[in-house]
Amino acid sequence: MIVMDEGVSRFQFRAGALIWTEGHILVHRAVSDPYWALPGGRVEFQESSEEALAREIREEIGCAATIGRLRFVIENFFELGDLRAHEIGFYFDAELSRPLPFHEREIIHRVRDGNSDLEFRWVPPTRAALDELDLKPRPLRDLIAENHAGMAHLVYWDIP
């Protein structure tokens, strides 16, 4: 995976999916994390961001996905433990080859991914619901809640 550490700095390249059903968007987290993110993961060397996203969905959700258009590019600067992280995230529309169960407020899927237990749920695309889950990176909250239709590139500093 494309992760580089140097001293107290980390760079990583991530791809994430905007997956919708019943007017809700799919989010996931490691059960040990206090925040949620869009499904996806880190891009590997010699792998396109679309290929990485399809692979991550296959590994974590257990089905194929059609990766759609690139919607957002977010350069996110944040603290990750003792590290100052710089992440470039590509966020795509995606459609699963088979539907996941739908429950408005319950965990609908769990999987072990390496050393992490992941859980998935559907959330309404409102700013209040996304704030309550602490969706990261933070600019996604407005982009999703406002149903931003075009391509967006944002740089976000989440470092005090």
Side-chain angles (χ1 to χ4, degrees):
M1 67 187 129
I2 300 177
V3 177
M4 293 174 263
D5 291 331
E6 184 174 314
V8 296
S9 296
R10 168 173 284 183
F11 173 81
Q12 56 192 29
F13 181 22
R14 184 175 193 279
L18 293 120
I19 301 170
W20 296 89
T21 198
E22 306 276 338
H24 288 63
I25 192 160
L26 188 64
V27 295
H28 85 304
R29 72 173 178 179
V31 295
S32 59
D33 289 339
Y35 61 89
W36 293 75
L38 294 179
R42 294 185 185 122
V43 177
E44 303 272 348
F45 285 104
Q46 304 303 313
E47 179 180 55
S48 73
S49 50
E50 293 98 329
E51 291 169 332
L53 188 53
R55 174 184 50 76
E56 289 287 346
I57 290 170
R58 200 170 41 257
E59 290 172 1
E60 295 175 357
I61 299 176
C63 70
T66 301
I67 308 304
R69 70 183 179 98
L70 178 62
R71 296 282 307 282
F72 315 128
V73 175
I74 300 176
E75 297 181 57
N76 190 24
F77 297 84
F78 59 100
E79 291 182 345
L80 183 64
D82 294 334
L83 297 173
R84 292 175 65 88
H86 174 191
E87 175 182 86
I88 296 179
F90 283 22
Y91 297 91
F92 295 87
D93 286 327
E95 187 173 329
L96 302 177
S97 63
R98 65 168 172 76
L100 285 174
F102 178 78
H103 298 287
E104 193 163 343
R105 295 249 174 225
E106 296 177 20
I107 302 302
I108 53 96
H109 180 69
R110 287 186 168 89
V111 68
R112 182 87 173 157
D113 183 38
N115 294 327
S116 297
D117 290 312
L118 302 180
E119 58 187 14
F120 293 74
R121 66 169 286 193
W122 299 104
V123 63
T126 65
R127 181 61 197 248
L130 300 171
D131 282 346
E132 182 181 325
L133 294 180
D134 195 17
L135 183 71
K136 304 281 188 185
R138 191 174 309 258
L140 284 171
R141 300 175 198 183
D142 286 331
L143 292 168
I144 292 168
E146 295 166 5
N147 195 20
H148 185 82
M151 166 62 181
H153 170 232
L154 299 165
V155 177
Y156 182 72
W157 292 84
D158 194 13
I159 295 177

